[in-house]
């Protein structure tokens, strides 16, 4: 089934310069009880956004200075639980891209399966992003999937890796299950080996 | 020359094509109520059945209450999620080990104890601790819900082959040091992201001398260093454990299986992408102080200061962690007063763990300032504990033995640690809010948890045995 397509994007950025952000922070376990994929965005980073009385905390998602479709985070983003709800929550909140210097494997896979592009950049390039955002919170970053490139406001850029198959899926809105179903005969042959 | 992982992987590749991930055949798919509903909904939308219901095992574990399991689940959303699993299993023809079923329990506990988990298999589940099953010499890893849907639809999964790491632990463990301490030590050494992109094979005399249940604890936490999974080559310990279990091959079939399982090992001279070697003698009982499982120290050590951090780029999350835990850099944890003790979870809720705890606490009484919860990993563990009289030992010590489930490992059911309270836990994660919003978690072995229950403080168990 066709999913949302992704080609390129230019947007302001939400910075989250913290390392090792685990999926329990992205979406706490108590919000995993839904049986559909929708509506997780309202609880994204719930315990960092709100105190236990529901009052807003001093957190970047509550800061109107920062908006946009790109989330930039410290290294080892998405570690911990395999819950795909984390990718759903980030996407549902409105982000299309997450940039970090390192992603946990399962999170990366989950994101790619949900039209959320994880872009891994070098530690130096990530530092450059922090600096440019500090100078100008409204700075825009361009993420071009076709060229596999991130371009900063000062014109500097860095290439990023993506699996060729996954790139084609995102560009065309393809789905893994369609591909696997097309291999039905081979799977049956494997089973009767 | 191939590694064990190569052999297992290659024998399960259905299709390999340049520029595409491998299509990997899955021998066993475990499902539970939390990560499956959206996958079943996907099948329904496509109008397709579950490809191999006979290779799919379902149980309810994350949301289930650990008290009065015969009553309807109180919390509406939890109840609905478990009911949705029931409905889906019925509609798609999957056997479900539901609440009160004699085989119900945490998905990673019941697979091995029922003999469903066997050497040589590929095993997946929508839960990151699926790595547990690697202890049998299987490729086992956690997946997301879209992948659960792939496996339900085709019994296959698209995967890029990960890099390989070998972690050797040699020598003899010290007194009071358990397999949980080994894995907490390894993660503290290579960090919570040190295994990212790798599949780990554990080897060395300290590993092969462990029981099956102790090996499962190690593999269970492979994900906590970022690795997709961890495995241990099967040996006589493995075969003896599997033999006679309900869904294991029986009689002649078993002998045939063992002959094959004996071939499952890494060839001499096979190359890994990365190798670590540790000495068991360097490991003391471990405890975590921060909010990821890599932030661990020996029980007698001090919490590092910012300057002492191995990786200075972790300074931000280090400071944030200590603030959350309300702890001082450079201070000791030993003697720190506790509020809760949780012995349970897919890491340490097997019968061996409960026996260890019972042996230690026999004739002792818990400290007044702590509440002690013992949650068996499965109905079978619970019944075994009662048959062996462990329940009486726990009751006399002031501990509460409840019904099986994930419980206060992740606080999806009613068992939670209140905000600001300290809990020493045998589970696998100390993330912020993991055991409930604001809860503060110290990870440790069942023996260290038992010692803390008696003294009410973080304790070096070696002084009490």
């Amino acid at each position: 089934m066709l999913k949302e397509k992704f080609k390129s994007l230019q947007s302001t950025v939400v910075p989250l310069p913290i390392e090792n952000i685990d999926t329990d922070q992205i979406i706490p376990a108590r919000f995993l009880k839904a049986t559909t994929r929708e509506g997780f965005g309202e609880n994204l980073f719930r315990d960092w956004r709100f105190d236990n009385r529901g009052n807003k905390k001093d957190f970047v998602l509550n800061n109107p200075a920062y908006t946009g479709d790109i989330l930039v985070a410290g290294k080892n983003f998405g570690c911990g639980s395999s819950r795909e709800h984390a990718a759903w929550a980030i996407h549902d909140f409105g982000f299309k891209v997450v940039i970090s210097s390192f992603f946990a494997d399962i999170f990366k896979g989950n994101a790619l399966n949900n039209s959320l592009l994880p872009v891994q950049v070098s530690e130096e390039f990530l530092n450059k992003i922090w600096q440019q955002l500090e100078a100008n919170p409204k700075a825009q970053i361009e993420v071009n999937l076709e060229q596999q490139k991130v371009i900063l406001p000062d014109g500097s850029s860095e290439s990023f890796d993506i699996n060729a198959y996954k790139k084609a899926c995102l560009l065309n809105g393809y789905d893994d299950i369609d591909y696997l179903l097309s291999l039905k005969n081979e799977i049956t042959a494997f089973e009767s080996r | 020359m191939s590694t064990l992982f190569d052999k297992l992987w290659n024998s399960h590749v259905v299709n390999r094509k340049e520029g595409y991930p491998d299509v990997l055949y899955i021998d066993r798919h475990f499902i539970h109520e939390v990560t499956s509903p959206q996958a079943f909904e996907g099948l329904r939308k496509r109008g397709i059945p579950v490809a191999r219901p006979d290779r799919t095992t379902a149980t309810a574990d994350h949301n289930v209450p650990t008290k009065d399991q015969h009553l309807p689940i109180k919390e509406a959303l939890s109840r609905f999620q478990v009911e949705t699993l029931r409905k889906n299993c019925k509609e798609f023809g999957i056997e479900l080990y539901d609440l009160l079923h004699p085989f119900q329990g945490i998905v990673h506990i019941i697979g091995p104890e029922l003999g469903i988990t066997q050497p040589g298999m590929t095993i997946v589940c929508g839960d990151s601790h699926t790595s547990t099953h690697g202890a049998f010499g299987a490729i086992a890893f956690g997946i997301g819900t879209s992948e659960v849907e792939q496996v339900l639809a085709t019994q296959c999964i698209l995967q890029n082959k990960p890099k390989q790491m070998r972690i050797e632990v040699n020598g003899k463990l010290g007194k009071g040091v358990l397999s949980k301490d080994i894995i907490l030590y390894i993660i503290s050494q290579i960090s919570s992201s040190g295994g990212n992109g790798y599949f780990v094979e554990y080897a060395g005399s300290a590993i092969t001398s462990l029981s099956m249940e102790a090996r499962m604890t190690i593999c269970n936490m492979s994900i906590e260093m970022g690795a997709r999974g961890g495995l241990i080559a099967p040996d006589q310990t493995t075969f003896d454990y599997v033999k006679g279990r309900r869904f294991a091959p029986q009689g002649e079939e078993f002998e045939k299986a063992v002959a094959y399982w004996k071939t499952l090992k890494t060839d001499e001279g096979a190359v890994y992408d990365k190798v670590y070697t540790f000495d068991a003698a360097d490991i003391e009982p471990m405890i975590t102080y921060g909010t990821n499982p890599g932030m661990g120290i020996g029980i007698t050590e001090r919490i590092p200061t910012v300057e002492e951090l191995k990786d200075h780029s972790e300074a931000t999350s280090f400071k944030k962690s200590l603030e959350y835990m309300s702890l001082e850099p450079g201070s000791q944890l030993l003697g720190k007063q506790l509020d809760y003790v949780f012995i349970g979870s897919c890491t340490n809720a097997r019968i061996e763990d409960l026996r260890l705890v019972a042996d230690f606490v026999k004739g002792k009484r818990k400290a007044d300032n702590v509440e002690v919860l013992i949650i068996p990993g499965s109905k079978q563990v619970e019944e075994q504990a009662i048959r062996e009289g462990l329940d009486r030992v726990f009751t006399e010590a002031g501990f509460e033995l409840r019904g099986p489930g994930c419980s206060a490992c992740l606080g999806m059911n009613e068992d939670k640690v209140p905000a600001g309270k300290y809990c020493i836990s045998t589970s696998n994660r100390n993330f912020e809010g993991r055991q409930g919003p604001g809860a503060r978690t110290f990870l440790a072995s069942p023996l260290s948890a038992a010692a803390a229950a008696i003294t009410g403080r973080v304790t070096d168990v070696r002084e009490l045995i």
Side-chain angles (χ1 to χ4, degrees):
Chain A
M1 264 180 270
L2 222 55
K3 296 201 173 181
E4 199 179 312
K5 295 181 190 182
F6 185 101
K7 285 196 164 53
S8 80
L9 171 78
Q10 181 154 15
S11 168
T12 50
V13 169
V14 177
L16 202 48
I18 299 167
E19 308 95 35
N20 304 317
I21 295 176
D22 59 76
T23 53
D24 273 77
Q25 306 320 311
I26 299 171
I27 183 94
R30 61 189 189 279
F31 300 114
L32 305 186
K33 296 182 183 184
T35 52
T36 65
R37 287 176 193 245
E38 288 79 39
F40 287 100
E42 64 178 287
N43 293 313
L44 176 68
F45 290 112
R46 176 74 195 200
D47 295 335
W48 288 359
R49 272 161 75 199
F50 302 103
D51 66 16
N52 53 14
R53 291 196 187 85
N55 302 313
K56 282 188 179 177
K57 287 194 194 176
D58 177 20
F59 180 62
V60 68
L61 290 188
N62 293 329
N63 183 346
Y66 295 101
T67 56
D69 300 342
I70 302 174
L71 179 68
V72 186
K75 72 168 181 190
N76 198 25
F77 185 80
C79 58
S81 160
S82 60
R83 59 186 72 157
E84 192 162 315
H85 313 66
W88 298 339
I90 294 170
H91 190 265
D92 190 55
F93 190 85
F95 293 112
K96 307 272 189 254
V97 173
V98 186
I99 299 177
S100 172
S101 56
F102 213 63
F103 289 95
D105 284 335
I106 304 182
F107 175 82
K108 195 193 241 176
N110 286 339
L112 287 167
N113 282 336
N114 287 282
S115 310
L116 178 67
L117 179 63
V119 174
Q120 189 160 320
V121 297
S122 67
E123 223 33 84
E124 299 76 58
F125 196 76
L126 188 66
N127 281 330
K128 222 181 235 183
I129 298 179
W130 302 136
Q131 283 158 16
Q132 297 195 19
L133 283 175
E134 207 168 313
N136 173 19
K138 289 287 168 204
Q140 293 218 342
I141 290 182
E142 186 183 335
V143 177
N144 189 314
L145 177 59
E146 277 172 319
Q147 296 173 15
Q148 295 181 218
K149 227 175 206 183
V150 191
I151 306 156
L152 301 189
D154 71 353
S156 59
S157 68
E158 190 173 90
S159 301
F160 62 87
D161 276 341
I162 182 167
N163 176 275
Y165 164 79
K166 273 292 162 198
K167 180 177 174 179
C169 285
L170 281 172
L171 287 172
N172 301 303
Y174 291 159
D175 182 305
D176 286 346
I177 299 182
D178 297 330
Y179 175 60
L180 283 173
L181 286 171
S182 77
L183 299 173
K184 203 166 187 230
N185 291 341
E186 275 184 71
I187 296 170
T188 314
F190 180 92
E191 283 184 319
S192 55
R193 233 169 41 181
Chain B
M1 279 172 298
S2 322
T3 62
L4 167 58
F5 182 79
D6 288 328
K7 292 179 187 178
L8 295 174
W9 184 277
N10 293 338
S11 67
H12 285 84
V13 172
V14 173
N15 176 289
R16 180 171 281 160
K17 195 155 87 178
E18 184 61 30
Y20 284 71
D22 286 349
V23 176
L24 201 65
Y25 193 78
I26 298 304
D27 294 319
R28 180 56 53 174
H29 187 196
F30 289 106
I31 59 171
H32 60 85
E33 76 278 13
V34 182
T35 56
S36 69
Q38 295 86 353
F40 281 111
E41 195 50 40
L43 295 190
R44 224 172 262 126
K45 277 186 189 156
R46 284 172 202 264
I48 54 175
V50 170
R52 294 296 301 265
D54 58 322
R55 288 183 178 271
T56 315
T57 304
T59 193
D61 54 8
H62 284 61
N63 278 281
V64 303
T66 54
K67 266 185 180 170
D68 297 327
Q69 292 190 326
H70 60 288
L71 297 176
I73 299 176
K74 279 188 220 146
E75 219 254 330
L77 288 172
S78 291
R79 191 172 61 240
F80 184 66
Q81 211 170 42
V82 173
E83 278 166 3
T84 303
L85 180 69
R86 275 176 205 147
K87 189 174 133 261
N88 286 332
C89 286
K90 199 165 175 211
E91 182 181 335
F92 289 91
I94 294 165
E95 184 162 17
L96 167 66
Y97 302 141
D98 201 349
L99 274 174
L100 305 183
H101 189 286
F103 300 160
Q104 182 265 336
I106 306 177
V107 64
H108 311 307
I109 303 256
I110 65 168
E113 77 179 4
L114 289 169
I116 297 171
T117 300
Q118 295 164 23
M121 284 184 160
T122 48
I123 298 170
V124 295
C125 171
D127 187 284
S128 60
H129 292 105
T130 309
S131 59
T132 311
H133 308 265
F136 289 80
I139 291 184
F141 54 92
I143 57 178
T145 299
S146 295
E147 294 170 315
V148 170
E149 190 179 334
Q150 287 177 35
V151 181
L152 289 174
T154 66
Q155 203 56 32
C156 288
I157 191 166
L158 282 173
Q159 286 289 301
N160 293 300
K161 195 175 171 191
K163 288 185 287 184
Q164 295 180 59
M165 182 187 285
R166 180 180 174 91
I167 298 182
E168 242 177 72
V169 189
N170 295 302
K172 215 168 159 279
L173 289 174
K175 185 178 81 163
V177 179
L178 305 184
S179 71
K180 178 64 163 282
D181 300 305
I182 299 181
I183 190 64
L184 284 173
Y185 176 80
I186 293 172
I187 304 168
S188 77
Q189 296 298 307
I190 75 173
S191 94
S192 65
S193 61
N196 217 320
Y198 291 90
F199 215 94
V200 178
E201 181 178 349
Y202 300 96
S205 55
I207 302 290
T208 51
S209 65
L210 297 172
S211 71
M212 268 328 285
E213 299 199 349
R215 292 179 191 187
M216 285 186 239
T217 301
I218 302 238
C219 290
N220 173 277
M221 291 190 70
S222 302
I223 184 72
E224 309 309 343
M225 58 179 114
R228 281 314 295 274
L231 79 173
I232 297 171
D235 59 10
Q236 199 55 47
T237 304
T238 322
F239 312 145
D240 292 345
Y241 179 94
V242 176
K243 191 172 185 174
R245 292 190 183 262
R246 185 166 185 115
F247 296 106
Q250 308 288 335
E252 212 175 295
E253 287 299 309
F254 182 76
E255 297 312 319
K256 261 202 266 176
V258 169
Y260 165 60
W261 294 344
K262 282 184 172 165
T263 68
L264 300 176
K265 53 185 167 212
T266 293
D267 297 332
E268 196 79 39
V271 179
Y272 294 83
D273 299 288
K274 202 163 202 169
V275 177
Y276 285 100
T277 308
F278 298 108
D279 186 348
D282 292 341
I283 307 173
E284 62 170 341
M286 295 288 295
I287 188 157
T288 61
Y289 58 86
T291 55
N292 78 53
M295 301 172 84
I297 49 174
I299 193 97
T300 60
E301 292 181 320
R302 287 180 302 106
I303 297 169
T305 59
V306 178
E307 295 71 33
E308 287 165 351
L309 283 182
K310 263 184 247 153
D311 179 357
H312 206 76
S313 74
E314 305 253 337
T316 326
S317 62
F318 174 80
K319 284 183 210 156
K320 192 171 183 302
S321 270
L322 289 193
E323 202 174 301
Y324 179 84
M325 294 295 289
S326 190
L327 294 170
E328 289 303 317
S331 66
Q332 261 204 327
L333 278 184
L334 209 54
K336 171 90 190 159
Q337 189 160 323
L338 297 160
D339 308 294
Y340 287 83
V341 177
F342 171 60
I343 295 170
S345 90
C346 59
T347 322
N348 285 114
R350 301 183 179 84
I351 190 65
E352 201 174 276
D353 300 310
L354 270 52
R355 284 181 191 143
L356 260 167
V357 172
D359 269 358
F360 175 80
V361 302
K362 198 163 192 170
K364 300 188 179 81
R365 178 85 199 159
K366 78 168 181 74
D368 289 340
N369 58 301
V370 286
E371 209 173 292
V372 186
L373 270 186
I374 305 218
I375 310 292
S378 72
K379 200 77 197 154
Q380 294 205 82
V381 171
E382 181 190 0
E383 280 168 5
Q384 180 78 25
I386 292 168
R387 265 202 304 278
E388 294 180 13
L390 309 186
D391 57 330
R392 287 196 308 276
V393 176
F394 294 142
T395 311
E396 281 161 20
F399 297 6
E400 198 180 345
L401 176 72
R402 293 195 186 169
C406 295
S407 182
C409 172
L410 85 168
M412 271 193 86
N413 73 343
E414 292 143 28
D415 305 345
K416 289 181 185 62
V417 174
K421 298 290 183 191
Y422 288 97
C423 176
I424 189 164
S425 167
T426 67
S427 61
N428 36 51
R429 287 182 173 149
N430 49 355
F431 298 148
E432 285 185 29
R434 175 76 181 178
Q435 297 196 278
R440 293 164 173 160
T441 303
F442 300 126
L443 302 176
S445 80
L447 211 44
S448 293
I454 301 306
T455 60
R457 295 167 186 281
V458 174
T459 299
D460 185 347
V461 67
R462 293 172 297 188
E463 290 175 1
L464 301 181
I465 51 177

